[in-house]
Amino acid sequence: MAPLPTITTCPAELSAEFDHGVASGLYSTFFEECLGWFHRRMEDLSLKSTCLLEPALQHVDAVRYLFRTSIPTAGVFWAKSNEHSQRQCKACDEVCELLRWGEVQRRRENAYQGSSSSRVIHDSYLELDLCASVTGCDTCRIIRRAFLLEQITGNDAESLGHPDNQWPIHVILQMGSSGGSLLQLAIKSPEALHFSATIRLSNGPWPPPRDVIKGIPSLRSDLSELRRVIDDCHRNHECSSRYRWSRRNPTWLLKILTSDLVQLVEGPPTPVDYVVLSYSWGDPATMPAAEWARIKGAGTKTIDGQPVPERLNPFRIWDLPETMQDAIRISASLGLFYIWIDNVCIPKGTNWDTEASKMHEVYGNAAFTLLASSSGKATDRLLRDRLAWTHRNRVSQLRELWWLHNTQMPLDRVRFESPVSRRGWTLQEERLSPRIVYWAGQQWYWSCPECQVVEMGEPNCTSPTADEASRSYPQRFLELCRTGDEHQLHEEWLDIVEAYTLRDLVSPKDRFLAIAGLAVRFYNAKAGNGGTVITEDYLAGLWKDNFARHLAWAVATAVDSRHSLQHIAPSWSWASLPLQVRTKAKGPFTPSEHFRFIAVRHLGPARPTSFSATGLRESSTGDDDPSTDYVNRGRVIEERGRRVKAVEVRGRFRRFISEDAQQMLWDDIEWKRGAGGRPRFDFGAFPGQNVYARNRGDGRIVSKDAHSGEVVGQLDYLVRPSDHDAPQTRQTPYVPEGSEKEIVCLELGDSAMLLLVPSRKWGQPKAFRRVGVAVGYTGRKGFFYGCCTRNVVME
């Protein structure tokens, strides 16, 4: 064992350094560095016995004593043992005052529900951090860990200690009527809330504390525990037998040769266990050009269609960005020596259309997907010291009734709030993966259809069919594809739409490619039931068998038309919206008996393809039925579907606004209500009149006939200033001011309609383009009564 540093021989230097830190407003990091060294030595040497541990602890106590004696007379870092043998600093007396207040409320009213006033317990996070380190205050250690566990990425955790984030720490006691209580923590400036955290309070030490030695968490992730969880899934669960797509490996894989040496190899002919990395490349607009060039440059180049020799021969992992490097190390540490990384294993010049449509197979056949939740860009590290586990927390008891416990961050928060969740490509990577490791900054999460496990937590193993609607379930799409529940499968696709439209893409042209694997898997689920007649078809992100339902998507509020993607997708598809738009696609829906899908009327240009025994190949015809093999045909159906530009449908049809309707100001008819109330309208000042009004801020538009209820629609795009120089035939995705009476509507369901305007793009007067939707107009269900039914071409 290497000797520990003789830190007790230099008190003067330590005192001088610490005094300098206090004077400059920043505390010395020397003690944390010593403690970090100590933990790393423990991990390297696997110290397990108390006889080896005690001498090391004595050195740490010596450092703590030196810091304690160097602290100015403020006394905030002085700690004492309370009546429960808990280390407690003076700042924690503020917490006890809150608890005393809570006891008084409980005595007055047993089911009291409410919140206390706010108290400040520390002037900054750095002060809290130093208190937890120097005094060993048990409460401050729990509070410190609470803040760190709330940070999804490693960068977020480190930002707690940034000088710009040093603001007072506020605490509120929140009491529930059923007896449950929480400490709500916040680091906030007068202008903004910077960080928040929660501590659970109970009347007993639950869960029981772990063994003093075995319960010491490492500053690095517990990969031995993760390996046990993965092995248990492969041995005892049905995930592989239920969800593995085929026996094929990806076309190319990275083979891990040593700890720092890898090689690009062709996928072996027999199945191998490989890891798939799901990560965010990052936003090129927010990083230096050289950094983005390095990420892009990690891609595998080709010569004459084959990867360059530099990749086919062994090469150092240092040639790859840091997220990839650490993913390789994690895989090797878990005993898995193949990994698939998109930027490396899809060589440049490869047909991305074909590769994208095979993602259900790449992810479905993997041993697991490593989802880099802690990484905001490809140059971020996955392997770093986890600050939440710097100290060994003991169970903390204050006063007689209160025990403090850290809470686990729910998996849903990691899924929906991590940087990787904002990237378009990662949506299908998650939902096509039967087994996922979410790698967060402070701990890992495991999720498969039969079990969820959090590092340092207890497993939550529940059958996916038991109360699946109320639990976090990333594999729900795969489960519905397997069971073939057609109604729920369509609802799940609408959930995918809502999640996908919120996400960003580096290249908008990838709008359809980034969910191609999901579309193929959806089609195969519908076509794989043994039927001889398959009616389902993919139509620019929507599905024909439930087309009216899929057309009824709406934006939460109108968006800027300048970023519209109608050059990529038709107006009636959600894919035509700008990136990162909140949409509403789910909800009650009863289809109209008058609505019918007729046919696809226009396909955009593409390299025509057909199916052969070896896959997709060039062909002179692209619209023929390529195969009766539904498994492979799904890829062709998806490729054709993203080219659909115009469809013909049939349904009841009429004007949205009467010809003689008078335009009113929105503020003259809207009935103002409190926050969260449903919008109401007052037409009392306009009796017996046909009227309409438009909200230029959020895109709502209301139409009311004289003696009937109103219908409220939602336009997709905001009003833009008129372009007087543009020709009248110019196609614009928004309705110009004064053109509202051109809007017509097509019935989709019992209380759902499309809002359309005429389009001359295809040279025929019955072509229309979408400008919005009206859904849920319960006060005017007879809106289409007696209206004619006609065929309409939508583009």
Side-chain angles (χ1 to χ4, degrees):
M1 175 177 174
L4 293 166
T6 313
I7 54 179
T8 58
T9 60
C10 53
E13 289 83 357
L14 286 175
S15 298
E17 182 181 356
F18 186 79
D19 290 339
H20 171 73
V22 172
S24 63
L26 297 175
Y27 295 104
S28 170
T29 60
F30 181 75
F31 174 74
E32 286 302 313
E33 291 173 356
C34 291
L35 196 60
W37 178 91
F38 163 69
H39 278 287
R40 286 192 294 273
R41 292 300 299 161
M42 272 182 45
E43 183 179 18
D44 293 342
L45 299 174
S46 301
L47 298 179
K48 298 295 183 181
S49 64
T50 305
C51 64
L52 292 176
L53 187 61
E54 288 303 325
L57 289 175
Q58 291 175 7
H59 284 73
V60 175
D61 286 337
V63 178
R64 181 178 290 125
Y65 172 79
L66 289 172
F67 272 83
R68 190 178 299 152
T69 56
S70 301
I71 294 171
T73 57
V76 69
F77 299 118
W78 287 96
K80 61 183 178 180
S81 294
N82 63 17
E83 64 271 26
H84 308 293
S85 299
Q86 304 288 311
R87 300 291 294 172
Q88 181 178 333
C89 72
K90 288 187 176 181
C92 296
D93 291 343
E94 298 293 332
V95 178
C96 289
E97 287 300 315
L98 292 180
L99 301 180
R100 186 178 291 110
W101 173 86
E103 293 166 11
V104 171
Q105 307 310 313
R106 282 279 188 257
R107 286 196 294 269
R108 292 174 177 174
E109 182 182 348
N110 188 46
Y112 176 80
Q113 180 178 1
S115 300
S116 70
S117 59
S118 175
R119 284 179 175 267
V120 174
I121 60 168
H122 277 292
D123 289 335
S124 67
Y125 174 81
L126 283 176
E127 185 179 280
L128 168 72
D129 188 29
L130 192 60
C131 182
S133 300
V134 174
T135 70
C137 172
D138 296 307
T139 299
C140 285
R141 286 186 171 186
I142 287 179
I143 292 172
R144 175 184 178 275
R145 180 173 289 180
F147 277 114
L148 289 165
L149 288 179
E150 288 291 314
Q151 311 312 312
I152 296 176
T153 73
N155 288 338
D156 291 341
E158 292 173 0
S159 69
L160 279 164
H162 193 278
D164 293 342
N165 295 328
Q166 301 314 303
W167 298 95
I169 300 177
H170 298 258
V171 182
I172 292 175
L173 174 61
Q174 182 177 323
M175 306 183 69
S177 59
S178 61
S181 300
L182 301 171
L183 286 178
Q184 299 287 0
L185 307 163
I187 299 176
K188 56 184 179 180
S189 63
E191 295 79 22
L193 172 67
H194 298 276
F195 303 95
S196 63
T198 301
I199 291 176
R200 185 176 67 246
L201 299 173
S202 71
N203 299 125
W206 186 91
R210 294 190 175 195
D211 179 86
V212 174
I213 300 299
K214 294 182 180 179
I216 299 176
S218 168
L219 287 179
R220 298 286 178 152
S221 292
D222 189 349
L223 294 181
S224 61
E225 174 67 10
L226 178 57
R227 179 61 185 268
R228 187 196 65 77
V229 171
I230 295 172
D231 289 346
D232 180 66
C233 176
H234 282 270
R235 285 196 310 266
N236 301 319
H237 297 173
E238 298 182 3
C239 301
S240 294
S241 61
R242 286 182 174 180
Y243 300 100
R244 187 178 181 94
W245 182 253
S246 70
R247 293 177 57 81
R248 286 190 293 270
N249 296 308
T251 307
W252 297 97
L253 285 168
L254 268 181
K255 186 175 183 180
I256 304 172
L257 305 175
T258 66
S259 60
D260 63 350
L261 208 61
V262 293
Q263 180 181 7
L264 187 67
V265 299
E266 291 190 71
T270 57
V272 296
D273 287 334
Y274 63 90
V275 176
V276 170
L277 175 63
S278 176
Y279 67 107
S280 173
W281 287 30
D283 183 358
T286 61
M287 67 177 74
E291 186 176 10
W292 179 248
R294 179 171 172 243
I295 294 172
K296 293 278 288 183
T300 298
K301 301 177 178 61
T302 57
I303 298 177
D304 297 329
Q306 287 296 309
V308 293
E310 291 84 352
R311 287 291 165 86
L312 294 176
N313 296 321
F315 65 95
R316 301 287 181 181
I317 64 172
W318 323 120
D319 296 341
L320 303 174
E322 284 75 3
T323 297
M324 302 180 193
Q325 294 177 25
D326 287 350
I328 291 169
R329 292 192 183 98
I330 292 169
S331 300
S333 298
L334 293 171
L336 297 164
F337 299 101
Y338 289 95
I339 187 170
W340 187 90
I341 303 174
D342 57 359
N343 197 21
V344 181
C345 298
I346 304 181
K348 297 182 185 300
T350 301
N351 188 330
W352 268 90
D353 291 17
T354 301
E355 292 297 324
S357 65
K358 294 193 296 185
M359 289 301 100
H360 65 290
E361 188 169 32
V362 171
Y363 286 86
N365 292 345
F368 66 86
T369 294
L370 178 62
L371 202 149
S373 301
S374 69
S375 175
K377 53 186 177 180
T379 52
D380 284 346
R381 284 284 180 198
L382 296 181
L383 293 171
R384 61 175 79 197
D385 287 342
R386 303 175 307 159
L387 301 177
W389 313 107
T390 301
H391 307 301
R392 291 179 298 161
N393 285 14
R394 296 192 301 171
V395 176
S396 179
Q397 182 182 9
L398 296 178
R399 299 180 60 78
E400 288 293 332
L401 301 176
W402 307 91
W403 298 76
L404 281 62
H405 308 285
N406 288 120
T407 59
Q408 296 285 358
M409 183 189 300
L411 176 56
D412 272 356
R413 276 202 57 199
V414 178
R415 289 182 61 201
F416 302 132
E417 297 180 20
S418 63
V420 74
S421 71
R422 297 190 285 271
R423 179 175 174 244
W425 282 93
T426 60
L427 176 66
Q428 72 171 3
E429 295 168 5
E430 179 189 51
R431 302 211 185 188
L432 291 173
S433 299
R435 293 164 294 270
I436 308 171
V437 174
Y438 294 87
W439 194 272
Q442 304 301 309
Q443 54 198 160
W444 50 256
Y445 296 71
W446 166 265
S447 178
C448 73
E450 297 189 31
C451 200
Q452 291 184 354
V453 182
V454 183
E455 184 182 7
M456 300 298 295
E458 298 299 322
N460 175 24
C461 296
T462 309
S463 170
T465 58
D467 195 25
E468 62 185 26
S470 63
R471 55 187 288 259
S472 175
Y473 188 28
Q475 294 84 8
R476 179 176 168 81
F477 174 71
L478 285 179
E479 177 64 17
L480 292 172
C481 287
R482 187 182 70 86
T483 60
D485 186 325
E486 184 172 357
H487 172 73
Q488 291 298 324
L489 190 56
H490 277 279
E491 289 299 307
E492 187 67 13
W493 183 264
L494 297 175
D495 183 74
I496 288 171
V497 169
E498 290 186 354
Y500 186 58
T501 56
L502 278 172
R503 301 189 176 214
D504 197 12
L505 291 165
V506 172
S507 177
K509 67 181 177 59
D510 292 338
R511 185 69 148 178
F512 289 122
L513 285 176
I515 58 166
L518 287 168
V520 173
R521 188 69 183 89
F522 183 100
Y523 177 84
N524 290 338
K526 293 289 295 292
N529 55 14
T532 57
V533 178
I534 302 173
T535 61
E536 189 62 277
D537 200 4
Y538 186 54
L539 307 169
L542 288 67
W543 293 96
K544 182 177 77 68
D545 282 357
N546 209 349
F547 196 50
R549 177 77 178 90
H550 286 249
L551 284 170
W553 58 267
V555 295
T557 187
V559 297
D560 191 338
S561 62
R562 288 173 293 185
H563 306 296
S564 167
L565 300 180
Q566 291 194 13
H567 61 288
I568 292 174
S571 65
W572 44 266
S573 170
W574 50 263
S576 66
L577 291 170
L579 301 174
Q580 296 182 283
V581 172
R582 185 174 299 279
T583 58
K584 297 180 289 186
K586 300 182 295 183
F589 185 85
T590 303
S592 167
E593 62 181 11
H594 301 280
F595 182 88
R596 296 286 185 276
F597 175 84
I598 304 301
V600 173
R601 288 304 177 208
H602 183 74
L603 289 173
R607 286 191 307 172
T609 58
S610 70
F611 181 77
S612 70
T614 58
L616 296 178
R617 59 178 174 81
E618 301 261 351
S619 173
S620 59
T621 60
D623 298 334
D624 299 333
D625 182 4
S627 175
T628 57
D629 181 351
Y630 78 91
V631 174
N632 297 299
R633 188 180 179 220
R635 291 165 52 190
V636 183
I637 292 297
E638 184 280 325
E639 192 278 336
R640 177 182 182 272
R642 63 178 111 117
R643 295 165 49 210
V644 173
K645 299 299 182 184
V647 295
E648 183 176 357
V649 296
R650 183 172 181 82
R652 292 201 290 187
F653 187 87
R654 60 159 287 178
R655 286 180 175 272
F656 181 63
I657 300 170
S658 300
E659 286 188 271
D660 60 347
Q662 299 297 310
Q663 183 174 14
M664 303 299 169
L665 294 177
W666 187 268
D667 289 341
D668 291 341
I669 63 168
E670 186 176 29
W671 179 19
K672 304 295 184 183
R673 302 191 67 183
R678 289 185 58 191
R680 300 283 185 177
F681 300 95
D682 182 1
F683 297 97
F686 315 103
Q689 296 184 51
N690 298 328
V691 298
Y692 74 96
R694 179 176 183 176
N695 188 318
R696 302 181 81 253
D698 61 21
R700 284 180 293 162
I701 185 168
V702 61
S703 172
K704 184 185 184 304
D705 291 339
H707 302 290
S708 301
E710 72 275 7
V711 175
V712 182
Q714 174 64 59
L715 297 176
D716 297 334
Y717 297 99
L718 295 168
V719 179
R720 281 174 49 192
S722 299
D723 187 349
H724 298 292
D725 297 329
Q728 295 298 317
T729 57
R730 178 179 176 180
Q731 298 296 315
T732 54
Y734 64 96
V735 179
E737 192 76 43
S739 301
E740 292 83 4
K741 289 187 180 180
E742 293 184 9
I743 300 175
V744 294
C745 44
L746 176 71
E747 184 184 34
L748 299 175
D750 184 44
S751 57
M753 68 175 79
L754 276 184
L755 303 182
L756 309 167
V757 295
S759 172
R760 301 177 178 86
K761 187 172 182 180
W762 305 115
Q764 47 187 330
K766 65 176 181 178
F768 294 85
R769 55 186 171 84
R770 169 186 161 133
V771 292
V773 70
V775 178
Y777 45 91
T778 56
R780 189 73 188 278
K781 289 191 175 183
F783 189 78
F784 286 95
Y785 179 72
C787 294
C788 65
T789 301
R790 59 175 288 183
N791 286 18
V792 175
V793 173
M794 299 188 304
E795 53 86 12

